[in-house]
């Protein structure tokens, strides 16, 4: 029987090797550290997990595709972007995970997202493997026609790697209903197949699921509510700071408001808005979803209750709850200190890895309930899996049914993380609970399926 500290030493060696073999991928290193640093208790307790090669296989993607994406802008100039699809692990089902279109995208970013996705998808219990893709293409300021030509070019390569039983992409930052529409159209044209289940996040009326656009944000609020319930509290009357102003942020604010909380902020890369009366969602949706504008326009049009703070971060605004819903590493040590100083009770991650490791540590040390993204934001991919189920059965469910399933899944993930953390000697530590519970499901399937 190996002890926990011997196991941790082995895992630390592996982490050094990961850094060595994957140079210049800091986000992937960070994601691998975050998981491997919590696995010692389970690997020490269950010798089958210490089998040589198991964790080494888990940190190596099954397949990585990188391709050229040439397209023409509205002036007829040829542009070249880079496309990625990292098919990380398919032990539990077809690779599943979004596509991110953002100038910051590179292989390390896609690998961190794909790695997270393995455990997140396992936690949903819905039989989906982990993958992620995207491009360094920046849709901001591009016309619809340019976005369409880019998506068509992207899919002209991607189509050969995906399929409803193989790999099922969806949206992420920069990829919403518009992009999924163009991608789906090109897939259908090239393959001459109506294969609804090849992409999720489709439009209603052509295979999309009700509640899919809302699912990540709604799910995160349900997870935060479950963490509060555990502490004998609820959302009613709590003030919440939310970062971001995309799909996740918008539906986080919507659900918080519906459950009686007051969501007072949103943000983008130019700064943030604080609105003491609570964010007016109709106005925010009009600016972000219809006009594709910036959040300062919100403050201009909202009137006296709102102000725009250029360059600032929402975490300096006092609140009971914080729901980071923008992007990775957007909440650092100084932000965590500010939140703690202002008495924050819970932080729940709507984005993927928005909180730096140092900030997570500080929050947990201060007794703040911390919901890691791979558990708290799993509602999006969970409803994607429900969209696949509906596509397969050629049916569509009511919004009520999908939302009931989502609520059930989020509560189940919360319970699983909570109980697992307790079982492995880390009560209240949802990071450890999520990592171990996700790991157990994937590792068991990998062990059963042999060395592949
Ligand atoms: N991009 C989302 C995530 O980070 C959703 C992925 C999906 O629906 O496949 O989980």
């Amino acid at each position: 029987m190996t002890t926990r500290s011997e196991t941790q030493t082995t895992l630390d060696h592996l982490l050094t090797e990961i850094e060595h073999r994957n140079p210049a991928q800091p986000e992937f290193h960070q994601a691998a550290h975050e998981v491997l640093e919590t696995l010692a208790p389970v690997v020490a307790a269950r010798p089958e997990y210490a089998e040589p090669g198991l964790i080494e296989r888990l940190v190596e993607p099954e397949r990585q595709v990188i391709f050229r994406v040439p397209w023409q802008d509205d002036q007829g100039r040829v542009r070249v972007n880079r496309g990625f699809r990292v098919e990380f692990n398919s032990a539990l089902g077809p690779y599943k995970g979004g596509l991110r279109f953002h100038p910051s995208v590179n292989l390390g970013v896609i690998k961190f997202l794909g790695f997270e996705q393995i455990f997140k998808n396992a936690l949903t219990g819905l039989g989906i493997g982990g993958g992620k893709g995207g491009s360094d293409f920046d849709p901001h300021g591009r016309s619809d026609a340019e976005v369409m030509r880019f998506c068509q070019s992207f899919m002209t390569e991607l189509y050969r790697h995906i399929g409803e039983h193989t790999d099922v992409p969806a949206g992420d930052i920069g990829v919403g209903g518009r992009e999924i529409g163009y991608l789906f159209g090109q897939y259908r044209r090239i393959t001459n197949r109506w294969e609804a289940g090849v992409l999720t996040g489709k439009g209603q009326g052509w295979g999309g699921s009700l509640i899919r656009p809302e699912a990540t944000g709604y799910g995160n609020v349900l997870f935060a509510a479950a963490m509060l319930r555990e502490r004998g509290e609820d959302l009613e009357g709590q003030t919440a700071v939310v970062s971001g102003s995309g799909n996740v942020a918008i539906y986080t604010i919507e659900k918080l408001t519906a459950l009686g909380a007051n969501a007072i902020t949103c943000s983008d890369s130019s700064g943030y808005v604080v609105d003491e009366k609570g964010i007016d969602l109709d106005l925010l949706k009009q600016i972000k979803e219809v006009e594709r504008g910036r959040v300062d326009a919100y403050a201009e049009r909202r009137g006296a209750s709102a102000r725009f703070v250029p360059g600032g971060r929402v975490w300096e605004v006092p609140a009971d709850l914080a729901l980071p819903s923008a992007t990775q590493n957007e909440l650092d040590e100084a932000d965590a200190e500010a939140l703690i100083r202002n008495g924050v009770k819970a932080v729940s991650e709507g984005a993927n890895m928005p909180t730096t490791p140092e900030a997570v540590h500080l929050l947990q040390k201060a007794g703040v309930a911390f919901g890691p993204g791979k558990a708290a934001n799993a509602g999006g991919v969970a409803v994607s899996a429900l969209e696949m189920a509906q596509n397969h059965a050629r049916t569509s469910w009511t919004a009520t049914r999908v939302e009931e399933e989502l609520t059930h899944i989020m509560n189940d993930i919360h319970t699983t993380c909570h109980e697992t953390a307790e079982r492995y000697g880390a009560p209240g530590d949802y990071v450890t609970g999520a990592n171990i519970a996700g790991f157990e499901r994937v590792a068991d399937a990998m062990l059963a399926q042999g060395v592949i």
Side-chain angles (χ1 to χ4, degrees):
M1 176 91 186
T2 41
T3 65
R4 275 189 197 190
S5 67
E6 281 163 359
T7 309
Q8 194 54 61
T9 310
T10 312
L11 292 171
D12 288 344
H13 280 139
L14 183 55
L15 279 166
T16 311
E17 202 177 303
I18 290 169
E19 284 175 18
H20 190 69
R21 292 191 70 202
N22 304 277
Q25 297 181 358
E27 292 87 358
F28 176 56
H29 302 165
Q30 187 182 331
H33 267 272
E34 195 255 4
V35 171
L36 266 53
E37 275 165 6
T38 57
L39 293 186
V42 69
V43 177
R46 298 185 53 183
E48 66 272 29
Y49 293 151
E51 186 177 295
L54 174 69
I55 300 179
E56 284 86 343
R57 281 190 287 142
L58 189 63
V59 296
E60 184 71 17
E62 290 176 16
R63 187 177 298 105
Q64 308 180 58
V65 190
I66 305 181
F67 50 98
R68 180 171 71 202
V69 190
W71 57 284
Q72 271 181 305
D73 67 18
D74 285 344
Q75 285 68 48
R77 196 177 138 196
V78 175
R79 306 270 182 166
V80 181
N81 286 98
R82 193 171 285 173
F84 301 91
R85 187 71 185 167
V86 172
E87 298 179 335
F88 226 118
N89 193 298
S90 60
L92 292 177
Y95 309 106
K96 182 83 198 82
L99 298 171
R100 174 175 293 191
F101 291 170
H102 191 271
S104 65
V105 163
N106 57 40
L107 182 60
V109 167
I110 298 299
K111 280 177 65 183
F112 117 64
L113 290 163
F115 188 65
E116 289 272 301
Q117 202 83 46
I118 303 171
F119 305 95
K120 183 196 309 198
N121 295 5
L123 283 172
T124 69
L126 293 173
I128 37 179
K132 202 87 185 191
S135 175
D136 56 1
F137 172 70
D138 186 359
H140 269 119
R142 292 286 165 204
S143 68
D144 284 354
E146 288 177 319
V147 171
M148 182 178 75
R149 286 195 293 276
F150 175 81
C151 288
Q152 290 175 340
S153 181
F154 186 85
M155 185 53 85
T156 301
E157 172 58 35
L158 185 69
Y159 91 94
R160 66 187 90 244
H161 308 289
I162 62 175
E164 64 177 316
H165 301 295
T166 311
D167 183 358
V168 182
D172 195 84
I173 294 171
V175 178
R178 173 181 63 169
E179 291 74 17
I180 293 293
Y182 296 146
L183 292 164
F184 186 75
Q186 185 73 349
Y187 182 84
R188 189 168 61 72
R189 185 188 199 190
I190 295 174
T191 59
N192 192 29
R193 279 163 69 91
W194 179 273
E195 190 187 333
V198 67
L199 291 171
T200 60
K202 297 180 295 295
Q204 272 145 45
W206 49 279
S209 175
L210 290 166
I211 308 295
R212 176 62 191 89
E214 293 87 347
T216 312
Y218 280 17
N220 188 25
V221 176
L222 295 170
F223 193 89
M227 291 197 297
L228 287 176
R229 216 162 33 240
E230 201 56 51
R231 300 174 164 221
E233 289 205 57
D234 63 22
L235 284 168
E236 186 72 46
Q238 311 270 12
T239 301
V241 283
V242 177
S243 62
S245 50
N247 167 275
V248 179
I250 286 175
Y251 293 105
T252 297
I253 294 169
E254 186 164 286
K255 196 56 161 185
L256 283 167
T257 313
L259 295 179
N262 191 24
I264 55 169
T265 62
C266 63
S267 69
D268 60 24
S269 54
S270 67
Y272 73 86
V273 163
V274 55
D275 185 340
E276 300 304 338
K277 279 202 201 148
I279 296 290
D280 174 343
L281 261 190
D282 289 338
L283 179 58
L284 184 62
K285 282 185 187 173
Q286 169 66 25
I287 290 166
K288 297 304 293 192
E289 292 182 342
V290 181
E291 300 168 21
R292 295 184 188 274
R294 313 291 289 166
V295 292
D296 56 345
Y298 175 97
E300 262 167 45
R301 275 142 76 175
R302 173 69 163 154
S305 69
R307 76 195 150 85
F308 175 64
V309 183
R313 299 217 219 187
V314 299
W315 320 122
E316 64 200 31
V317 179
D320 303 307
L321 312 171
L323 297 101
S325 309
T327 194
Q328 65 266 17
N329 294 329
E330 55 162 314
L331 195 168
D332 65 17
E333 224 172 336
D335 300 320
E337 275 163 8
L339 286 169
I340 294 164
R341 220 173 20 250
N342 290 323
V344 74
K345 298 173 188 167
V347 175
S348 202
E349 295 185 321
N352 290 313
M353 209 170 76
T355 317
T356 65
E358 299 77 22
V360 175
H361 181 71
L362 274 184
L363 290 165
Q364 288 185 322
K365 218 174 70 188
V368 176
F370 180 79
K374 59 172 82 65
N377 74 35
V381 77
V383 174
S384 275
L386 302 182
E387 183 170 324
M388 290 161 71
Q390 293 168 73
N391 294 156
H392 203 69
R394 294 189 181 279
T395 190
S396 53
W397 300 346
T398 61
T400 313
R401 173 161 178 200
V402 180
E403 204 172 335
E404 272 169 18
E405 298 260 0
L406 172 65
T407 307
H408 179 78
I409 292 164
M410 294 316 299
N411 285 334
D412 194 59
I413 294 175
H414 174 269
T415 308
T416 302
C417 296
H418 195 264
E419 288 178 357
T420 306
E422 212 148 69
R423 184 150 21 99
Y424 286 99
D429 176 354
Y430 292 96
V431 175
T432 296
N435 289 343
I436 293 184
F439 169 78
E440 285 181 316
R441 288 183 186 167
V442 183
D444 288 346
M446 287 177 71
L447 288 172
Q449 292 171 32
V451 178
I452 50 164

